[in-house]
Amino acid sequence: MNTVVSADGTSIACSVAGSGPAVVLVDGALCHRRFGPAPALAEQLAAHHTVWTYDRRGRGDSGDTAPFAVEREIEDLAAVITAAGGSAAVLGVSSGAALALRAAAQGVGISRLAVYEPPFSAEDGQRARFAQYVAELDAALADGRRGDAVAALMTFAGMPAELLDGLRAAPMWPAFEAVAPTLPYDAAALGVHGGAAVPGDVLGRVAVPTLVVDGGASPESLRAPARAVAAAVPGAEYRTLAGQTHEVAAEVLAPELVKFFA
């Protein structure tokens, strides 16, 4: 494990693998460098790149300094990129994609940016559902009900009740609960006060080569925002991976990244 220090003094835990030009992976909700898609993606990319994975603040081995703001997470990513040599390609997955897009718009040292299914809201109904989710999330966390906070996210993402009940009894559930207090950070990256609407004004300021990817088997509620993001980022490429869902297979996504980052 390596450690970098963010602008506000927060310690951010990182892992580094492989060799070649630097790539930084930015996780989505509930995930960190040892839990989620990052380990498999890092393994796939390490033959071509020096891959940096890191624990977003409040997760894994990273610290967390109050008060929170999206700008602090942008500074965290900037600190990792600085440690990686000052410039790096970046992959953001899910809400991590929203964070990476906001960082790119602020001119953080991203050389090329790939995002997979940033879960913005592309229509009014989805924005209303997001607002309801955030209200349930805030209430659960205020009452100390971490499990209910995680359940609110899973329900918002479309998980059937019977599957959710089974997941609550699964061995990984405590890992979800451990990082539940960071779920508002993901909501903030998506734009909590705007119902997670696609932020066209922000995306229009992204000035680096950008690839937007979605899965052909994902629901329209995820594919429509991906298309909207690709249309809003100047010069962005848009690509669909046939048969893939939001839980994209590393061995399918990684070859597309290697081509784009090259």
Side-chain angles (χ1 to χ4, degrees):
M1 186 183 77
N2 296 288
T3 300
V4 301
V5 179
S6 193
D8 70 346
T10 301
S11 177
I12 303 297
C14 309
S15 294
V16 186
S19 61
V23 171
V24 178
L25 307 185
V26 186
D27 276 315
L30 299 177
C31 300
H32 51 79
R33 74 187 201 283
R34 293 194 300 259
F35 186 83
L41 281 167
E43 182 178 0
Q44 291 285 326
L45 294 171
H48 305 273
H49 293 277
T50 301
V51 185
W52 289 70
T53 55
Y54 74 102
D55 294 339
R56 287 173 57 186
R57 63 174 51 210
R59 311 181 191 189
D61 295 309
S62 288
D64 197 4
T65 305
F68 173 79
V70 174
E71 288 74 15
R72 302 294 82 77
E73 285 224 84
I74 292 173
E75 290 167 357
D76 299 345
L77 176 55
V80 176
I81 292 173
T82 297
S87 177
V90 168
L91 166 68
V93 176
S94 192
S95 56
L99 176 60
L101 285 161
R102 293 187 185 277
Q106 291 195 17
V108 170
I110 298 173
S111 57
R112 299 179 76 84
L113 174 63
V115 295
Y116 188 82
E117 293 191 345
F120 293 113
S121 301
E123 47 89 21
D124 290 342
Q126 187 74 354
R127 287 189 280 275
R129 290 186 62 243
F130 181 81
Q132 179 181 358
Y133 155 66
V134 170
E136 294 173 358
L137 171 66
D138 289 346
L141 291 175
D143 293 341
R145 295 182 285 112
R146 291 189 176 193
D148 289 344
V150 176
L153 172 66
M154 301 297 188
T155 300
F156 172 65
M159 179 175 287
E162 60 273 16
L163 291 182
L164 178 57
D165 290 342
L167 186 59
R168 278 183 179 267
M172 78 272 294
W173 189 257
F176 290 146
E177 288 191 344
V179 295
T182 67
L183 288 173
Y185 302 178
D186 298 283
L190 288 165
V192 63
H193 298 299
V198 177
D201 56 335
V202 173
L203 301 179
R205 297 196 298 271
V206 175
V208 298
T210 300
L211 172 67
V212 182
V213 187
D214 64 10
S218 287
E220 182 63 11
S221 60
L222 289 170
R223 299 196 63 198
R227 293 193 300 269
V229 168
V233 174
E237 300 178 37
Y238 170 64
R239 197 164 303 157
T240 296
L241 301 181
Q244 294 300 301
T245 66
H246 200 57
E247 305 297 326
V248 62
E251 63 270 20
V252 176
L253 178 58
E256 300 298 327
L257 298 175
V258 170
K259 288 188 290 186
F260 176 70
F261 289 152

